[in-house]
């Protein structure tokens, strides 16, 4: 059975408001928010168009930090990382293609390698062994309501991971 989740992120990228992620039964499964190391990073980010110091924190319903995602700015090729705060598993995300409009990402971890492909105005698709196992879509026509679907065949089933990943690479960190 496929898991289907929705959420509505803050309309403004610099917002640090917490957002609830809701499952198909209407239950909150996790929350996330953008965070900064300190006030100086937040102030500096204003001058850098809110795209340089990017960190996404995803929490359980009882407030435990589950995943932390960070943008790692590099000259030429930006990278990202997502850390599972319970297991310390690290996921390294790099651009596989440098197309800005329809990017493709490679995700490497101890769990294996994954690919994320996004089509213009369509779903971002998460692949494992060339099989689509999850998808994410933000609908601007619905005030940025966001949809996440995770297939049973996905080796990663935690919605918190996917929320962290997709918010990091397609919303805050783009």
């Amino acid at each position: 059975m496929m898991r289907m989740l929705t959420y509505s992120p803050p309309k403004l990228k610099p917002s640090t408001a917490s957002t609830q992620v809701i499952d198909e039964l209407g239950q909150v499964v996790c929350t996330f928010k953008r965070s900064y190391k300190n006030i100086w990073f937040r102030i500096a980010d204003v001058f850098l168009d809110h795209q340089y110091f990017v960190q996404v924190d995803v929490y359980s319903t009882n407030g435990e930090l589950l995943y932390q995602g960070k943008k790692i700015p590099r000259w030429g090729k930006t990278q990202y990382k997502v850390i599972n705060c319970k297991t310390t598993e690290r996921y390294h995300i790099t651009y596989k293609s440098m197309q800005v409009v329809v990017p493709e990402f490679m995700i490497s971890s101890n769990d294996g390698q994954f690919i994320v492909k996004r089509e213009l105005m369509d779903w971002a698709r998460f692949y494992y062994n060339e099989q689509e196992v999850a998808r994410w879509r933000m609908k601007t026509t619905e005030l940025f309501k966001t949809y996440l679907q995770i297939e049973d065949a996905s080796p990663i089933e935690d919605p918190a991971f996917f929320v962290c990943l997709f918010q990091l690479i397609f919303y805050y960190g783009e």
Side-chain angles (χ1 to χ4, degrees), residues 39-58:
I39 189 69
W40 302 113
F41 279 85
R42 189 168 185 173
I43 291 169
D45 204 38
V46 170
F47 297 105
L48 297 168
D49 201 25
H50 303 289
Q51 293 186 21
Y52 195 80
F53 300 110
V54 177
Q55 180 174 316
V56 180
D57 295 336
V58 183

Side-chain angles (χ1 to χ4, degrees), residues 141-157:
T141 57
E142 295 179 34
L143 298 176
F144 299 99
K145 185 170 183 181
T146 304
Y147 298 86
L148 172 62
Q149 299 175 349
I150 306 167
E151 300 285 348
D152 287 342
S154 178
I156 303 171
E157 296 182 0

Side-chain angles (χ1 to χ4, degrees), residues 80-92:
Y80 304 88
K81 69 178 173 182
V82 172
I83 300 167
N84 181 326
C85 296
K86 285 182 157 183
T87 66
T88 68
E89 174 82 27
R90 293 177 177 267
Y91 300 86
H92 299 279

Side-chain angles (χ1 to χ4, degrees), residues 104-159:
E104 193 171 319
F105 296 91
M106 170 72 72
I107 301 162
S108 304
S109 75
N110 291 341
D111 289 337
Q113 289 197 334
F114 308 91
I115 301 288
V116 172
K117 296 180 183 179
R118 183 173 187 186
E119 295 298 323
L120 187 61
M121 305 302 285
D122 197 5
W123 293 91
R125 300 174 191 280
F126 186 88
Y127 294 91
Y128 177 67
N129 287 340
E130 299 181 10
Q131 179 184 2
E132 182 182 341
V133 294
R135 62 201 63 79
W136 176 94
R137 184 176 192 178
M138 181 178 284
K139 303 236 2 176
T140 53
T141 57
E142 295 179 34
L143 298 176
F144 299 99
K145 185 170 183 181
T146 304
Y147 298 86
L148 172 62
Q149 299 175 349
I150 306 167
E151 300 285 348
D152 287 342
S154 178
I156 303 171
E157 296 182 0
D158 190 351

Side-chain angles (χ1 to χ4, degrees), residues 9 12 15 17 27 33 47 66 108 119 127:
L12 301 173
S15 173
Q27 303 295 311
K33 67 178 187 169
F47 297 105
L66 299 174
S108 304
E119 295 298 323
Y127 294 91

